[in-house]
Amino acid sequence: MPTPSHRRHRPVRPVRAVHSVRPVRSVRSVLPALLTGAAVVLATAACGGGTEGGAEAAGTGPLRISAIPDVDPSDLAEREEAMASYLSEELGVEVEYVPVSDYA
């Protein structure tokens, strides 16, 4: 009696080893990452200052903050003066709020 077709066994082929090959990346795909890394390194190095002791020793003066003038100037000044005080206490440096009158 013949065997049904779904029960017939097919010969098993030996499996060949496949070596993983890394794709070659083009300069165009790597260049943005290299430029971003270089920019981060340069920006970080520029922030160092090279002296000990914070802003006073570097002679840079107070940290100045500002805000977008989207509310009443007196409300904005009150809120940002409180922020300047908080930052000064937390960072240990002088923080100054600088009000602005427009977006320019």
Side-chain angles (χ1 to χ4, degrees):
M1 168 179 236
T3 325
S5 63
H6 69 279
R7 290 191 171 196
R8 288 186 189 154
H9 296 283
R10 294 184 179 175
V12 177
R13 294 183 186 174
V15 178
R16 293 189 308 175
V18 178
H19 299 286
S20 63
V21 178
R22 291 182 139 179
V24 177
R25 293 186 178 191
S26 68
V27 173
R28 188 177 288 166
S29 67
V30 176
L31 189 60
L34 289 175
L35 291 176
T36 302
V40 168
V41 168
L42 290 174
T44 305
C47 292
T51 60
E52 298 287 328
E56 293 78 21
T60 58
L63 170 64
R64 292 183 179 92
I65 63 170
S66 192
I68 297 172
D70 60 350
V71 295
D72 182 50
S74 61
D75 292 341
L76 189 62
E78 182 180 336
R79 184 180 72 194
E80 296 305 316
E81 288 292 340
M83 175 62 83
S85 174
Y86 170 77
L87 288 173
S88 182
E89 290 175 13
E90 290 295 315
L91 299 175
V93 297
E94 183 183 351
V95 180
E96 175 185 349
Y97 167 65
V98 180
V100 293
S101 59
D102 58 15
Y103 288 97

